[in-house]
Amino acid sequence: MCVCVGPCFVQTDYYYQYTECDNTGSRWRVAIPLNPGSCSDLPPPTRGTDCSFSCPAGMFLEMSAQQCTPCVAGSYSLGSGLRFDQWDAIPAGFTSLASFFDPGPNAEDIQACNSSSWTPQGVYLESNRDECTVSLVYAVHLEKQGSVSFTYQYPNNIFFEFYVQNEQCQEMAQADDQKWIKFTTNGEWETHIVDLKSGMNILYWRTTGILVGGKMVKPVLLKTIQIEGVAYTSECFPCRPGWFSSAPGSSSCQPCPSNTFSIKGASSCTPCPDHHYSGEGWAECKVRPPCSEKDYFQIHTACDSEGKTQVVHRWVEPKICVENITGAVELPAVGQREPCPPCNPGYYNSNDSTCLPCPHATYSDGTSACTACPAGTEPVLGYEYKWWNVLPSNMKTSCFNLGNSKYNNMNGWEVAGDHIRSGASSSDNDYLILTLHVPGFKVPASLSGVTGNEFGQITFVFETICSADCELYFMMDVNSKSTTVVESWQGSKGQQSYSHTMTRNVSVTYTWAFQRTNHALDVRHFVNDMVKMYSISVTNALDGVASSCRACALGPQNSQQASSSCVPCPVGFFIDRDTNRCQECPPNTHLAGHHAYSRDACVACGPGSISNKDHSRCYNDCSFTHIDNNRTLTFDLSPMSDVALLTIGPSFTSKGTKYLHVYNISLCGHEGKRAAICTDNVTDVSGRDDQSDGAHFVNSVDSFICQSTIIPADGRGFRLAISSQSISLADTFLGASVETILDGNSAKPYLFPENPGGVPDINFYYRSTQATASCDRGRHSVITVRCNPHKSEQGELSVPSSCPAGTCDGCSFHFLWESASACPRCAEDDYHRIEGTCKGGVQETLYVWNEPKLCTKGVSLPPRSLSPCEAITLWLKVGVGGGAFMAVLLISLTCYFWKKNKRLEYKYSRLVMSANKECELPAADSCGLAEGEEPEDDMVYSQKPTLLGKLRAIANKEQGESIESVLLNSSQSDRWVLG
């Protein structure tokens, strides 16, 4: 219960407020005491204005009279809107919430993001620079349909999205042109507008750093946030310090000029005291310091009529230092007059020492007069800037400050004779910008049919000298529609060359932006950090000049065209040096590089590759042939021709952000065309519809092999996956071979498990010549195709276990593709025959594959066959014949040895009789022989000899015969003769 202690006589004791609108759109104005229960006699409730009522810009609703009243000087009002452009602190009502993409299992890693937040930097609000997801949230209730607009900077190495939810946390529908936020060029501000519905609207600005690859994150910057559609404003907003509004009824405030300041709610600016200075929009003045070497820079004057130049020094503008005090340095004296550097190639020195471009069809090396190209030649058009006395007419330089968005045409880049370098700036985080505009490209007539999709090339030589976190960006703006960062370099880099090829004939503006530090520092500590550009050359520029002439193709001799006129060669033709006529390249060769003169321009395709009909490139038709041990192996890889997707991961950065490496791989392409496409945008892996309004902002690369880094959507309300850092790994196909080295590239088979089969691996070699900051010779890739009959025809891709991202050094990539299609086509050597037994006079013959089967398709197994046969099988016939032969052989040997044994017995008996010569023989035994007769061989034995005796006789055969012959021939033998 409220108890009032006294009446309220003045309005300062209370304030008015409207009640909630009823269903008829009406409301009441009620008075509310400033201190509840402190007074009585409050004014009675009064019917208020209509709920849709609002005041115009520059006015506010004065609640006492319920009428619109102009704002006083020093304040402003949007009428029915809110504006936030003062970022000394995060305004009331805004909340900064940090979280992880993918928190750990115990959600403990979230603690690492507690310090991540949007940070106010005075004139803008800066997002986080780490991998945490940080949301800037603001809730507003609209009584009618309205909108929100914000001015921002959005680099392409951080994810940034804006979306709206209602009070039930349901996301509001947005049109495509409102849903996708456009990237910005370094130093430029863009404005994004989104429609809002009446009721509660919760606005989310969400950012997440992408640190995969190691480059420092550049934050998103918010400069002005404006919301339209609030019911009314009962007061005006005072101008922030450093700004003012001089007239009543203002809808905005203006920044104070340099060397002035203002306090909050000022209607005018106050000049700074003596020896003080301020920048635009400053709330206070600072004491001018003594001048030092950091406050001036040197330039070279233009050549005078005598061809002389000299070095002069100038103060950095705006000048903030004081010269005539103790410790101050003076501006150095003007240098000696020196001869001007020569003109750049394609220019000549006029009478007033000015370099002018040579006329059409003439050329000059920059030191001599322009000379007409001889007959049968044409000028080599382009730009070749290597002397820097003055800035060429098609180049501009500027300095961009993040805070006040002002360009300074004097302090961007400065010419310095043999190089051009970054100049001074008012702050270390300013962007120093150098631009070169090329209206288009014109391929020489004789080369118009041989350069393929290459229209021109830009090459520049540079070095960076840095002591802080400087960065040099090389960007490209095509047709003044979209600017993309082609490459960037951080920190000090030695003198090096970089080239980029143009594959479309478009108008392009090349931009070099140098920033000494990307932290918000309103100081100049690193003025000696700089980038030096030594030379810039562009080939085939539409408005280029010629430094030389080259031979061109002449028309046919029987044509009506003059023989000295240059004509374009047909596609796939080169210029013969002897005749200056066009000749077609031999089969399976391609025209290489930027020259097409002589047959040497036709370079033979690598092993396992053929050329397309235009001779613009070589490719593999998804087939391969190899001779192994006098056997021809034929491979049909057509089932592997579709683009394959390989996802590696997940991996985690140092702060725990989960990411995946996704490779799109096209083994053969499509007749040499690169069929693998990777996008670099804010979308899912499958990519956004090319017909959508946001497709204009999609950056993609096409290649034989390309890689994207995917940060998947998480379960914390993050709605989309991030596909970023798309790169090409294989622009050119070098060849396919079973050898492990081709054209200096190695397959490194030790990275993968040993091939267990008898089919050799096939290595497909690719190269991407686009140089990068870390790979000065470009990247190269090898796909090892291996026969594995246990895999499908499409097969399976993998990367080395020791290099889980497919590369160990970031420049060479290796993949293993195992597939049944990688097995050779089957031939007759891959199967063998098996003959069955003879059953019923029929024999069956079968054919089976050799195990393990390491072939596919090709010839088929012959069908089984039946053939007649005899009942007795061949082996039985052979056995019977062999048995009969052995029986005959045994009988013959038995007879032979029996007869031999009998003779030995007789000789043995004679020997025994000879040994007993003293004995007398019976008379009956000697009467049968006449004088001179030899005794018969037949002997009668009293006892039959044993088998052992026979064997001993055989063994002693030779000895026995010698003794026998001696004894029988002895004279004592006469005693055996009778009569």
Side-chain angles (χ1 to χ4, degrees):
M1 181 176 181
C2 178
V3 179
C4 296
V5 297
C8 294
F9 297 103
V10 294
Q11 190 173 346
T12 56
D13 295 331
Y14 61 89
Y15 66 95
Y16 288 110
Q17 184 172 327
Y18 282 126
T19 63
E20 294 288 337
C21 293
D22 56 24
N23 55 6
T24 63
S26 301
R27 57 187 174 183
W28 293 82
R29 187 196 69 174
V30 296
I32 301 176
L34 294 177
N35 298 313
S38 61
C39 61
S40 60
D41 299 332
L42 292 172
T46 306
R47 181 173 294 275
T49 59
D50 187 79
C51 286
S52 60
F53 175 83
S54 62
C55 293
M59 307 185 75
F60 71 101
L61 181 62
E62 203 282 315
M63 294 295 289
S64 298
Q66 298 193 75
Q67 295 180 351
C68 293
T69 304
C71 294
V72 299
S75 64
Y76 73 98
S77 169
L78 299 179
S80 60
L82 301 174
R83 177 184 294 152
F84 303 95
D85 55 5
Q86 183 175 347
W87 304 105
D88 296 322
I90 296 181
F94 283 88
T95 304
S96 183
L97 301 176
S99 63
F100 253 125
F101 260 118
D102 190 22
N106 300 322
E108 297 176 354
D109 292 337
I110 299 179
Q111 300 294 330
C113 290
N114 288 342
S115 59
S116 300
S117 174
W118 287 77
T119 306
Q121 299 290 356
V123 295
Y124 56 82
L125 188 65
E126 181 181 283
S127 74
N128 58 306
R129 295 170 178 261
D130 53 27
E131 301 170 39
C132 298
T133 301
V134 182
S135 299
L136 182 69
V137 186
Y138 184 77
V140 62
H141 188 279
L142 301 185
E143 293 295 341
K144 59 181 180 180
Q145 290 186 351
S147 64
V148 56
S149 63
F150 53 91
T151 305
Y152 68 94
Q153 285 189 16
Y154 177 18
N156 62 357
N157 65 345
I158 190 171
F159 176 64
F160 177 43
E161 64 172 347
F162 173 79
Y163 60 98
V164 183
Q165 292 182 347
N166 58 21
E167 54 190 356
Q168 285 81 32
C169 295
Q170 297 174 338
E171 185 176 344
M172 302 284 196
Q174 294 176 232
D176 285 339
D177 58 346
Q178 298 178 346
K179 188 174 184 179
W180 305 107
I181 300 178
K182 182 181 178 182
F183 289 127
T184 61
T185 307
N186 291 316
E188 292 185 359
W189 295 93
E190 292 283 349
T191 301
H192 189 72
I193 303 176
V194 176
D195 297 330
L196 301 178
K197 295 181 179 180
S198 60
M200 179 61 68
N201 291 266
I202 306 175
L203 314 180
Y204 290 84
W205 292 266
R206 176 175 285 183
T207 59
T208 302
I210 304 175
L211 294 180
V212 179
K215 287 194 174 182
M216 185 178 298
V217 170
K218 295 182 65 65
V220 171
L221 306 181
L222 291 177
K223 188 175 182 182
T224 302
I225 299 176
Q226 185 166 315
I227 302 173
E228 297 286 348
V230 297
Y232 66 93
T233 177
S234 59
E235 60 180 347
C236 295
F237 299 99
C239 294
R240 61 174 175 166
W243 294 61
F244 74 100
S245 63
S246 58
S250 297
S251 59
S252 63
C253 300
Q254 304 299 320
C256 288
S258 299
N259 297 322
T260 64
F261 73 101
S262 69
I263 61 174
K264 184 177 181 179
S267 59
S268 62
C269 299
T270 304
C272 290
D274 292 341
H275 303 298
H276 288 68
Y277 75 99
S278 70
E280 185 182 60
W282 283 22
E284 61 180 0
C285 298
K286 295 183 179 181
V287 178
R288 293 183 180 271
C291 289
S292 67
E293 290 80 359
K294 297 180 179 180
D295 295 306
Y296 63 83
F297 61 95
Q298 72 174 30
I299 62 171
H300 287 70
T301 62
C303 291
D304 56 21
S305 58
E306 298 179 359
K308 300 288 186 179
T309 183
Q310 57 189 156
V311 174
V312 298
H313 297 81
R314 294 180 181 176
W315 295 111
V316 175
E317 297 294 341
K319 182 182 177 184
I320 62 174
C321 64
V322 181
E323 300 177 62
N324 53 356
I325 61 176
T326 304
V329 300
E330 297 180 351
L331 202 64
V334 177
Q336 297 292 328
R337 297 174 69 242
E338 300 176 353
C340 287
C343 296
N344 283 309
Y347 291 80
Y348 70 97
N349 199 330
S350 64
N351 293 332
D352 57 355
S353 298
T354 302
C355 294
L356 300 176
C358 287
H360 179 67
T362 63
Y363 71 97
S364 171
D365 60 359
T367 61
S368 58
C370 299
T371 306
C373 289
T377 64
E378 59 185 347
V380 182
L381 298 180
Y383 314 134
E384 187 178 355
Y385 302 135
K386 60 181 181 180
W387 298 109
W388 303 94
N389 183 59
V390 294
L391 198 66
S393 59
N394 58 353
M395 298 185 70
K396 294 181 179 180
T397 178
S398 57
C399 178
F400 183 78
N401 182 271
L402 293 177
N404 54 28
S405 304
K406 296 295 182 180
Y407 287 89
N408 189 328
N409 291 327
M410 184 176 62
N411 294 341
W413 291 59
E414 304 293 345
V415 295
D418 63 343
H419 67 275
I420 181 174
R421 64 189 179 192
S422 55
S425 59
S426 60
S427 176
D428 282 340
N429 70 334
D430 289 351
Y431 286 100
L432 306 178
I433 298 174
L434 179 69
T435 62
L436 168 62
H437 179 68
V438 182
F441 298 89
K442 182 180 180 181
V443 179
S446 58
L447 300 182
S448 58
V450 300
T451 56
N453 60 350
E454 179 178 332
F455 290 91
Q457 187 178 59
I458 181 171
T459 302
F460 54 92
V461 179
F462 72 98
E463 72 170 328
T464 55
I465 304 171
C466 300
S467 58
D469 58 326
C470 74
E471 189 160 6
L472 172 66
Y473 299 88
F474 173 58
M475 299 172 289
M476 184 172 63
D477 184 359
V478 176
N479 292 331
S480 300
K481 291 184 178 180
S482 62
T483 301
T484 58
V485 177
V486 179
E487 187 58 83
S488 62
W489 298 265
Q490 287 183 340
S492 296
K493 300 293 181 183
Q495 185 170 332
Q496 57 186 278
S497 175
Y498 180 81
S499 299
H500 179 74
T501 301
M502 290 298 301
T503 57
R504 290 187 294 167
N505 189 7
V506 293
S507 172
V508 60
T509 297
Y510 298 108
T511 301
W512 295 267
F514 181 70
Q515 189 181 36
R516 292 184 169 94
T517 176
N518 67 352
H519 290 82
L521 299 175
D522 192 21
V523 293
R524 290 192 296 114
H525 290 320
F526 310 114
V527 292
N528 293 325
D529 293 2
M530 67 180 67
V531 56
K532 294 182 178 181
M533 193 79 65
Y534 293 95
S535 65
I536 301 175
S537 62
V538 180
T539 62
N540 302 337
L542 185 63
D543 60 345
V545 293
S547 60
S548 62
C549 298
R550 59 185 158 197
C552 64
L554 303 179
Q557 296 179 351
N558 55 359
S559 66
Q560 297 180 356
Q561 193 173 6
S563 61
S564 61
S565 299
C566 295
V567 298
C569 284
V571 175
F573 283 67
F574 67 93
I575 303 173
D576 185 80
R577 288 186 180 274
D578 298 330
T579 63
N580 274 34
R581 309 293 175 183
C582 298
Q583 291 189 14
E584 185 176 6
C585 279
N588 294 331
T589 62
H590 70 283
L591 285 167
H594 310 279
H595 60 281
Y597 306 104
S598 81
R599 189 185 184 91
D600 295 338
C602 303
V603 179
C605 293
S609 62
I610 59 177
S611 65
N612 58 3
K613 62 181 181 180
D614 296 340
H615 296 280
S616 59
R617 61 172 55 95
C618 299
Y619 69 99
N620 180 272
D621 58 356
C622 273
S623 65
F624 186 76
T625 302
H626 172 63
I627 299 177
D628 186 19
N629 294 328
N630 296 325
R631 179 189 173 193
T632 301
L633 302 179
T634 303
F635 298 83
D636 179 13
L637 306 177
S638 56
M640 305 168 64
S641 61
D642 294 336
V643 177
L645 179 69
L646 174 62
T647 302
I648 301 175
S651 300
F652 297 88
T653 60
S654 59
K655 276 202 171 183
T657 299
K658 180 170 66 176
Y659 66 93
L660 308 170
H661 284 308
V662 176
Y663 295 93
N664 285 328
I665 299 177
S666 176
L667 184 68
C668 310
H670 179 66
E671 293 188 356
K673 296 180 181 178
R674 299 179 287 267
I677 299 177
C678 293
T679 60
D680 188 1
N681 62 343
V682 182
T683 182
D684 55 13
V685 178
S686 61
R688 195 187 317 156
D689 184 5
D690 290 339
Q691 302 302 319
S692 67
D693 295 336
H696 174 70
F697 308 117
V698 176
N699 298 318
S700 63
V701 296
D702 58 332
S703 178
F704 289 103
I705 307 173
C706 60
Q707 177 198 31
S708 293
T709 300
I710 305 296
I711 299 181
D714 66 355
R716 301 177 57 85
F718 199 77
R719 304 163 304 131
L720 294 173
I722 300 173
S723 175
S724 67
Q725 300 179 358
S726 296
I727 58 175
S728 172
L729 306 179
D731 295 329
T732 305
F733 176 65
L734 301 178
S737 172
V738 297
E739 303 296 333
T740 58
I741 297 179
L742 178 64
D743 197 15
N745 300 324
S746 175
K748 298 181 180 179
Y750 59 85
L751 293 176
F752 297 104
E754 185 178 356
N755 186 355
V759 178
D761 292 337
I762 309 172
N763 299 308
F764 281 68
Y765 295 88
Y766 306 87
R767 175 179 294 163
S768 176
T769 56
Q770 189 69 50
T772 65
S774 57
C775 305
D776 54 355
R777 296 184 179 180
R779 302 179 177 93
H780 66 271
S781 305
V782 181
I783 301 177
T784 300
V785 177
R786 175 172 295 177
C787 169
N788 190 336
H790 303 292
K791 301 292 184 180
S792 64
E793 288 190 343
Q794 179 66 25
E796 182 179 332
L797 279 161
S798 62
V799 295
S801 58
S802 58
C803 306
T807 177
C808 295
D809 57 7
C811 298
S812 60
F813 292 78
H814 300 270
F815 305 90
L816 177 64
W817 197 337
E818 297 179 275
S819 168
S821 301
C823 299
R825 297 178 69 90
C826 294
E828 294 182 359
D829 294 338
D830 294 308
Y831 63 83
H832 60 275
R833 183 177 65 176
I834 298 178
E835 293 184 350
T837 60
C838 185
K839 295 181 180 181
V842 177
Q843 186 181 35
E844 183 180 20
T845 302
L846 299 177
Y847 297 88
V848 296
W849 295 111
N850 299 333
E851 292 295 338
K853 183 185 177 185
L854 297 176
C855 65
T856 182
K857 300 180 180 178
V859 300
S860 302
L861 283 176
R864 68 177 184 174
S865 61
L866 301 176
S867 59
C869 64
E870 298 181 7
I872 301 177
T873 59
L874 177 61
W875 68 268
L876 186 57
K877 293 179 181 179
V878 174
V880 172
F885 174 76
M886 292 300 295
V888 173
L889 180 61
L890 288 175
I891 293 173
S892 301
L893 290 175
T894 302
C895 295
Y896 170 76
F897 283 113
W898 179 82
K899 185 176 181 180
K900 188 73 175 178
N901 185 53
K902 298 296 289 182
R903 294 184 63 189
L904 288 174
E905 287 179 356
Y906 167 73
K907 293 179 180 180
Y908 178 74
S909 64
R910 294 285 299 271
L911 179 63
V912 173
M913 293 173 65
S914 157
N916 297 324
K917 57 185 178 176
E918 300 297 334
C919 298
E920 294 293 334
L921 292 177
D925 292 337
S926 61
C927 63
L929 291 176
E931 185 179 356
E933 290 184 2
E934 291 292 333
E936 296 292 337
D937 289 338
D938 295 333
M939 303 274 307
V940 179
Y941 291 91
S942 62
Q943 186 177 355
K944 187 177 181 180
T946 62
L947 178 61
L948 180 59
K950 294 179 181 180
L951 293 177
R952 287 177 177 175
I954 295 174
N956 297 324
K957 174 182 176 181
E958 294 182 359
Q959 183 179 0
E961 287 180 347
S962 61
I963 298 174
E964 174 190 13
S965 61
V966 173
L967 292 176
L968 291 180
N969 292 331
S970 176
S971 61
Q972 300 295 330
S973 62
D974 294 341
R975 296 182 180 181
W976 293 95
V977 182
L978 296 178

